[in-house]
Amino acid sequence: MTQLSAAQTGTTSGSPSDGKTLYGGKGTRRITVRDIAAAKERGEKWPMLTAYDAMTASVFDEAGIPVMLVGDSAGNCHLGYETTVPVTLDEMTMLSAAVVRGTSRALIVGDLPFGSYQEGPVQALRSATRLVKEAGVGAVKLEGGERSHRQIELLVESGIPVMAHIGLTPQSVNAMGYRVQGRGEEAAQQLLRDAKAVQDAGAFAVVLELVPAELAAEVTRVLHVPTVGIGAGPDTDAQVLVWTDMLGLTGGRVPKFVKQYADLREVMSGAAKAFAEDVVGGTFPTEAHSVH
Ligand SMILES: Nc1nc(=O)c2c([nH]1)NC[C@@H]1CN(c3ccc(C(=O)N[C@@H](CCC(=O)O)C(=O)O)cc3)CN21
Ligand SMILES: CC(C)C(=O)C(=O)O
Ligand SMILES: [Mg+2]
């Protein structure tokens, strides 16, 4: 087992941003779940992005993104699977370790993949422990509300911060598809019960995926832990997007809740073609790129 540096363990003293904000502060030590709790008390909104490799994570870390999720969306966005279902704990451990190595300030949350916690609390603890010890993540995330509350309880009791994830839970795609959750009175009551169950179990934050904006606003009002929305409207405490969607790198269709801030697919494709033309036409390399 490799030793984790102080930067990875987040044990250095001082505030994340001179006692100010999660985003835009000047602090250099690693952000912790206590900083996240303080942000909710201040009514401060914060951004979260996924990351699957050290290089990309270092860009977002330098940009000041305070929380990064090594999402199992790596399955379809980084590893070429159709869904998140086939992703393994070995894969999540390797990707999470890379993201931790590429960052020094962001809180890194590692997604527990399908099959690594559904058997029960003991399996969940064994899996989460690998992400904490081998990859160095500061927290883990798992899907499910009431159905996952025992797993959350044991992890939190054991000293592992847990981000919960309710609403659309993509690991259950074979059972529920990719559909809006919490529509109608009965489904809304279930979502509220799920949100309270994960908070009571000790989760430090809860992702709300693809739920009506009004319901997400209500959950955000009634919980004392922050909500992180994705397709959940403007009134959650935080917002998360899959980085390849946000930067226009994901091929094919992306969910309609995505806002695209750049077109990296176009940029990369253009650069690859320019390189290819240079090679074929003999205009690269030139004297400037040669040694003698
Ligand atoms: N590239 C990518 N982006 C994501 O946001 C994402 C992943 N992958 N993989 C894991 C999960 C799966 N997610 C998904 C997948 C599909 C829809 C989707 O098809 N949504 C429809 C709306 C469906 C409805 O209205 O009921 C859409 O058009 O947005 C949404 C979220 C979110 N996560
Ligand atoms: C969409 C986010 C919340 C996620 O779970 C992932 O990227 O895997
Ligand atoms: Mg996920």
Side-chain angles (χ1 to χ4, degrees):
M1 189 91 51
T2 52
Q3 283 296 115
L4 299 176
S5 68
Q8 285 171 307
T9 55
T11 48
T12 44
S13 59
S15 72
S17 49
D18 306 316
K20 307 289 196 307
T21 54
L22 284 180
Y23 174 71
K26 294 189 199 71
T28 51
R29 74 149 171 84
R30 206 176 275 277
I31 288 162
T32 68
V33 294
R34 295 181 62 226
D35 301 319
I36 303 295
K40 175 118 186 178
E41 282 181 20
R42 293 192 297 267
E44 179 189 329
K45 293 195 178 202
W46 46 275
M48 175 163 105
L49 285 173
T50 68
Y52 315 118
D53 68 276
M55 179 181 54
T56 308
S58 74
V59 173
F60 297 154
D61 204 50
E62 285 166 20
I65 299 297
V67 187
M68 272 178 244
L69 171 68
V70 188
D72 60 351
S73 50
N76 55 291
C77 297
H78 190 75
L79 297 172
Y81 299 126
E82 281 285 319
T83 68
T84 62
V85 172
V87 177
T88 67
L89 184 59
D90 282 344
E91 288 167 335
M92 290 308 301
T93 303
M94 192 199 73
L95 301 179
S96 300
V99 168
V100 170
R101 286 192 294 266
T103 56
S104 60
R105 181 171 180 268
L107 170 65
I108 308 303
V109 182
D111 235 354
L112 286 172
F114 181 62
S116 74
Y117 60 94
Q118 282 82 356
E119 284 175 30
V122 172
Q123 189 204 20
L125 180 57
R126 197 183 308 123
S127 300
T129 299
R130 280 198 64 196
L131 290 182
V132 171
K133 293 186 72 158
E134 296 177 37
V137 301
V140 303
K141 182 166 79 55
L142 53 77
E143 295 182 6
E146 286 184 320
R147 73 175 191 262
S148 297
H149 90 274
R150 292 175 311 121
Q151 279 88 333
I152 296 171
E153 255 168 25
L154 182 60
L155 266 53
V156 173
E157 268 174 37
S158 305
I160 301 176
V162 177
M163 179 179 281
H165 180 160
I166 63 174
L168 171 63
T169 50
Q171 292 173 11
S172 307
V173 59
N174 293 318
M176 68 178 188
Y178 297 124
R179 293 172 46 241
V180 175
Q181 302 294 305
R183 269 197 187 137
E185 191 51 33
E186 204 169 309
Q189 291 308 322
Q190 180 61 52
L191 192 88
L192 276 160
R193 280 198 300 278
D194 285 334
K196 286 176 185 155
V198 299
Q199 172 174 274
D200 290 349
F204 76 93
V206 52
V207 170
L208 305 178
E209 178 164 348
L210 210 62
V211 303
E214 301 72 21
L215 180 58
E218 185 182 357
V219 172
T220 303
R221 272 195 305 276
V222 302
L223 291 193
H224 59 259
V225 297
T227 56
V228 184
I230 176 165
D235 295 324
T236 54
D237 297 295
Q239 296 288 336
V240 59
L241 283 176
V242 165
W243 87 263
T244 54
D245 294 346
M246 197 264 309
L247 284 163
L249 198 52
T250 307
R253 230 180 60 83
V254 297
K256 65 171 169 250
F257 53 69
V258 171
K259 178 173 175 183
Q260 195 183 313
Y261 289 82
D263 195 346
L264 288 197
R265 218 175 163 84
E266 191 61 38
V267 170
M268 291 176 73
S269 163
K273 284 176 186 163
F275 168 66
E277 307 264 328
D278 275 356
V279 171
V280 170
T283 52
F284 174 84
T286 62
E287 191 54 32
H289 307 107
S290 305
V291 293
H292 297 285

